[in-house]
Amino acid sequence: MSAVLDSALSADAPSAAAAAPQAFDIRPLGGALGAEVLGLDLSRPVSEDDFRRIHRAHLDHHVLVFRDQRITPAEQVAFSRRFGPLQIHVLKNFQLAGHPEILVVSNILDAAGQPIGLGDAGHYWHSDLSYKDKPSLGSLLHAQELPAEGGDTLFANQHAAYDALPDDLKARIDGLRAEHSYLAKYEELRARSPWRPKLTQAQIDEVAPAVHPVVRTHPGNGRKALFVSEHFTTRIVGLPEAESRALLDELFARSVRPEFVYRHAWRPHDMVFWDNRSVQHLAAGTPDHLRRKLYRTTVEGS
Ligand code: SIN
């Protein structure tokens, strides 16, 4: 077992020691990535052995789909915390009341016509919070209300994307670093979605750009993964602007080829846990007249 697996298991798990084991299956979805977790009830305490199995499956499959989870926001927060500290999103107006760790992802308007959540989260391919010095380990998104059509989420395997690069491109990006900024597309999104708030100076300071390797070695499975995205990556450090832009555009296109992508069609009570170190994701969009609401927790990485 890796040191990383060990350290995650030491995370806060108050009732794990006394928890009874549960009978559940982990069934690979086939294709680029992903596995379904069937028969596990996250409203009950999860034993250390069961947690260890889930953690291993997350490292192996990158996206876990926990089916039929009738859990409260507090239970989502408690389960998420077992993987590490939770990160609070800079758009605090979209926190779930009483649960600052939960970001509401929704296109629904309240009675006063105000959005209850971040309606265009995931409009561009990205890895959550890559603009932070400590980007996210993974995110857990729990379905609350789903549209009759649309609303899918796509996940692209960044280990596979890296492995498929031609050798000369691998050599070219070896050791390069890139800047990630929350502000990169913020005004563009705000022009499309005017309900996005104008950021205060304090919020802008909170999301100062961060620099990360273009290729990261995953701390949990030791594999290399591409770590750039069209949403947040602004430039390759040290390259002239035109060269940086051309290289990023090539990497963006190579990172989300159809053969690396799993498309998740949500079912009621799904909770999906993806690894932000090994996948990028994209929200495919929901027709305007249909309602969609999900709760997201985001686990801090390294
Ligand atoms: C996200 O990018 O966190 C949200 C994805 C989605 O709404 O499908």
Side-chain angles (χ1 to χ4, degrees), residues 103 105 121-123 126 128 139 141 151-154 266 274 281-284 292 294 296:
L103 174 73
V105 173
H123 181 75
H126 67 289
D128 286 330
S139 305
L141 193 61
D152 294 353
T153 308
L154 281 67
W266 290 85
W274 63 85
H281 60 285
L282 175 82
R292 183 177 188 262
L294 305 98
R296 192 183 95 189

CSV table of all heavy atoms in Angstrom, one decimal, residues 103 105 121-123 126 128 139 141 151-154 266 274 281-284 292 294 296, ligand 1:
chain,number,residue,atom,x,y,z
A,103,LEU,N,-20.7,23.6,-2.5
A,103,LEU,CA,-21.0,24.6,-3.5
A,103,LEU,C,-22.3,24.0,-4.2
A,103,LEU,O,-22.3,22.9,-4.7
A,103,LEU,CB,-19.9,24.6,-4.5
A,103,LEU,CG,-20.1,25.4,-5.8
A,103,LEU,CD1,-20.0,26.9,-5.5
A,103,LEU,CD2,-19.0,25.1,-6.8
A,105,VAL,N,-24.4,23.7,-7.4
A,105,VAL,CA,-24.3,23.8,-8.8
A,105,VAL,C,-25.7,23.7,-9.4
A,105,VAL,O,-26.3,22.6,-9.2
A,105,VAL,CB,-23.4,22.6,-9.3
A,105,VAL,CG1,-23.4,22.6,-10.9
A,105,VAL,CG2,-22.0,22.7,-8.8
A,121,ALA,N,-21.1,26.2,-14.0
A,121,ALA,CA,-19.9,25.5,-13.5
A,121,ALA,C,-19.6,24.4,-14.6
A,121,ALA,O,-20.5,23.7,-15.1
A,121,ALA,CB,-20.2,24.8,-12.2
A,122,GLY,N,-18.3,24.3,-14.9
A,122,GLY,CA,-17.9,23.3,-15.8
A,122,GLY,C,-18.2,23.6,-17.3
A,122,GLY,O,-18.2,22.6,-18.1
A,123,HIS,N,-18.4,24.8,-17.7
A,123,HIS,CA,-18.7,25.2,-19.1
A,123,HIS,C,-17.5,24.9,-20.0
A,123,HIS,O,-17.7,24.5,-21.1
A,123,HIS,CB,-19.1,26.7,-19.1
A,123,HIS,CG,-19.4,27.1,-20.5
A,123,HIS,ND1,-20.6,26.8,-21.1
A,123,HIS,CD2,-18.7,27.8,-21.4
A,123,HIS,CE1,-20.6,27.3,-22.4
A,123,HIS,NE2,-19.4,27.9,-22.6
A,126,HIS,N,-11.9,21.4,-17.4
A,126,HIS,CA,-11.0,21.9,-16.3
A,126,HIS,C,-10.8,20.8,-15.3
A,126,HIS,O,-11.5,19.8,-15.3
A,126,HIS,CB,-11.6,23.1,-15.7
A,126,HIS,CG,-12.9,22.8,-14.9
A,126,HIS,ND1,-14.1,22.5,-15.5
A,126,HIS,CD2,-13.1,22.8,-13.6
A,126,HIS,CE1,-15.0,22.3,-14.6
A,126,HIS,NE2,-14.5,22.4,-13.4
A,128,ASP,N,-10.8,20.9,-11.1
A,128,ASP,CA,-11.3,21.9,-10.1
A,128,ASP,C,-10.1,22.5,-9.3
A,128,ASP,O,-9.2,21.8,-8.8
A,128,ASP,CB,-12.3,21.2,-9.1
A,128,ASP,CG,-13.6,20.9,-9.8
A,128,ASP,OD1,-14.0,21.7,-10.6
A,128,ASP,OD2,-14.3,20.0,-9.4
A,139,SER,N,-13.3,15.8,-6.4
A,139,SER,CA,-14.6,16.5,-6.1
A,139,SER,C,-15.7,15.4,-6.0
A,139,SER,O,-15.7,14.5,-6.8
A,139,SER,CB,-15.0,17.5,-7.1
A,139,SER,OG,-13.9,18.5,-7.3
A,141,LEU,N,-19.8,15.1,-6.3
A,141,LEU,CA,-21.0,15.9,-6.8
A,141,LEU,C,-22.2,15.0,-6.6
A,141,LEU,O,-22.3,13.9,-7.2
A,141,LEU,CB,-20.8,16.2,-8.3
A,141,LEU,CG,-21.7,17.2,-8.9
A,141,LEU,CD1,-21.7,18.6,-8.2
A,141,LEU,CD2,-21.4,17.5,-10.4
A,151,GLY,N,-27.8,17.7,-19.2
A,151,GLY,CA,-27.2,17.8,-17.9
A,151,GLY,C,-26.1,16.8,-17.7
A,151,GLY,O,-25.6,16.5,-16.5
A,152,ASP,N,-25.6,16.1,-18.7
A,152,ASP,CA,-24.5,15.1,-18.5
A,152,ASP,C,-23.2,15.8,-18.1
A,152,ASP,O,-23.0,17.0,-18.4
A,152,ASP,CB,-24.2,14.4,-19.9
A,152,ASP,CG,-25.4,13.5,-20.3
A,152,ASP,OD1,-26.4,13.4,-19.5
A,152,ASP,OD2,-25.3,13.0,-21.4
A,153,THR,N,-22.3,15.0,-17.5
A,153,THR,CA,-20.9,15.5,-17.2
A,153,THR,C,-19.9,14.6,-17.9
A,153,THR,O,-20.1,13.3,-17.9
A,153,THR,CB,-20.7,15.5,-15.7
A,153,THR,OG1,-21.8,16.2,-15.1
A,153,THR,CG2,-19.4,16.2,-15.4
A,154,LEU,N,-18.9,15.2,-18.6
A,154,LEU,CA,-17.9,14.4,-19.3
A,154,LEU,C,-16.6,14.4,-18.5
A,154,LEU,O,-16.2,15.5,-17.9
A,154,LEU,CB,-17.7,15.0,-20.7
A,154,LEU,CG,-18.7,14.7,-21.8
A,154,LEU,CD1,-20.1,15.3,-21.5
A,154,LEU,CD2,-18.2,15.2,-23.1
A,266,TRP,N,-26.6,11.3,-15.7
A,266,TRP,CA,-26.9,11.2,-14.2
A,266,TRP,C,-28.2,10.4,-14.0
A,266,TRP,O,-29.2,10.6,-14.8
A,266,TRP,CB,-27.1,12.6,-13.7
A,266,TRP,CG,-25.8,13.4,-13.6
A,266,TRP,CD1,-25.2,14.1,-14.6
A,266,TRP,CD2,-24.9,13.4,-12.4
A,266,TRP,NE1,-24.0,14.6,-14.1
A,266,TRP,CE2,-23.8,14.2,-12.8
A,266,TRP,CE3,-25.0,12.9,-11.1
A,266,TRP,CZ2,-22.8,14.5,-11.9
A,266,TRP,CZ3,-24.0,13.2,-10.3
A,266,TRP,CH2,-22.9,13.9,-10.6
A,274,TRP,N,-14.8,12.3,-8.6
A,274,TRP,CA,-13.7,12.2,-9.6
A,274,TRP,C,-12.4,12.7,-9.0
A,274,TRP,O,-12.3,13.4,-8.0
A,274,TRP,CB,-14.1,13.0,-10.8
A,274,TRP,CG,-14.3,14.5,-10.7
A,274,TRP,CD1,-13.3,15.5,-10.7
A,274,TRP,CD2,-15.5,15.2,-10.5
A,274,TRP,NE1,-13.9,16.7,-10.5
A,274,TRP,CE2,-15.2,16.6,-10.4
A,274,TRP,CE3,-16.8,14.8,-10.4
A,274,TRP,CZ2,-16.2,17.5,-10.2
A,274,TRP,CZ3,-17.8,15.7,-10.2
A,274,TRP,CH2,-17.5,17.1,-10.1
A,281,HIS,N,-12.9,17.6,-16.4
A,281,HIS,CA,-14.3,17.4,-16.7
A,281,HIS,C,-15.0,18.6,-17.3
A,281,HIS,O,-14.4,19.7,-17.3
A,281,HIS,CB,-15.0,17.0,-15.4
A,281,HIS,CG,-14.9,18.0,-14.3
A,281,HIS,ND1,-13.8,18.2,-13.5
A,281,HIS,CD2,-15.9,18.9,-13.8
A,281,HIS,CE1,-14.0,19.2,-12.6
A,281,HIS,NE2,-15.3,19.6,-12.8
A,282,LEU,N,-16.2,18.3,-17.8
A,282,LEU,CA,-16.9,19.3,-18.6
A,282,LEU,C,-18.4,19.1,-18.3
A,282,LEU,O,-18.9,17.9,-18.4
A,282,LEU,CB,-16.6,19.2,-20.1
A,282,LEU,CG,-17.4,20.0,-21.1
A,282,LEU,CD1,-16.7,21.4,-21.1
A,282,LEU,CD2,-17.4,19.4,-22.5
A,283,ALA,N,-19.2,20.2,-18.1
A,283,ALA,CA,-20.6,20.0,-18.0
A,283,ALA,C,-21.2,20.2,-19.4
A,283,ALA,O,-20.9,21.3,-20.0
A,283,ALA,CB,-21.2,21.1,-17.0
A,284,ALA,N,-21.9,19.3,-19.9
A,284,ALA,CA,-22.4,19.3,-21.3
A,284,ALA,C,-23.5,20.4,-21.5
A,284,ALA,O,-23.8,20.7,-22.6
A,284,ALA,CB,-22.9,17.9,-21.7
A,292,ARG,N,-31.9,21.8,-12.8
A,292,ARG,CA,-30.8,20.9,-12.4
A,292,ARG,C,-30.1,21.4,-11.2
A,292,ARG,O,-29.8,22.6,-11.1
A,292,ARG,CB,-29.7,20.8,-13.6
A,292,ARG,CG,-28.6,19.9,-13.3
A,292,ARG,CD,-27.7,19.9,-14.6
A,292,ARG,NE,-26.7,18.9,-14.6
A,292,ARG,CZ,-25.4,19.1,-14.3
A,292,ARG,NH1,-25.0,20.3,-13.8
A,292,ARG,NH2,-24.5,18.1,-14.3
A,294,LEU,N,-27.2,20.2,-8.1
A,294,LEU,CA,-26.3,19.2,-7.5
A,294,LEU,C,-25.5,19.9,-6.4
A,294,LEU,O,-25.3,21.1,-6.4
A,294,LEU,CB,-25.3,18.6,-8.5
A,294,LEU,CG,-26.0,18.0,-9.8
A,294,LEU,CD1,-26.0,19.0,-10.9
A,294,LEU,CD2,-25.3,16.7,-10.2
A,296,ARG,N,-21.8,20.1,-4.5
A,296,ARG,CA,-20.3,19.7,-4.7
A,296,ARG,C,-19.5,20.0,-3.5
A,296,ARG,O,-19.6,21.0,-2.9
A,296,ARG,CB,-19.7,20.4,-5.9
A,296,ARG,CG,-18.4,19.8,-6.3
A,296,ARG,CD,-17.8,20.6,-7.5
A,296,ARG,NE,-16.8,21.6,-7.0
A,296,ARG,CZ,-16.3,22.6,-7.7
A,296,ARG,NH1,-16.6,22.6,-9.0
A,296,ARG,NH2,-15.4,23.4,-7.2
B,1,SIN,C1,-18.3,21.2,-12.0
B,1,SIN,O1,-17.6,21.5,-13.0
B,1,SIN,O2,-17.9,21.1,-10.9
B,1,SIN,C2,-19.8,20.9,-12.3
B,1,SIN,C3,-19.9,19.8,-13.3
B,1,SIN,C4,-21.4,19.6,-13.7
B,1,SIN,O3,-22.2,20.4,-13.3
B,1,SIN,O4,-21.7,18.7,-14.4
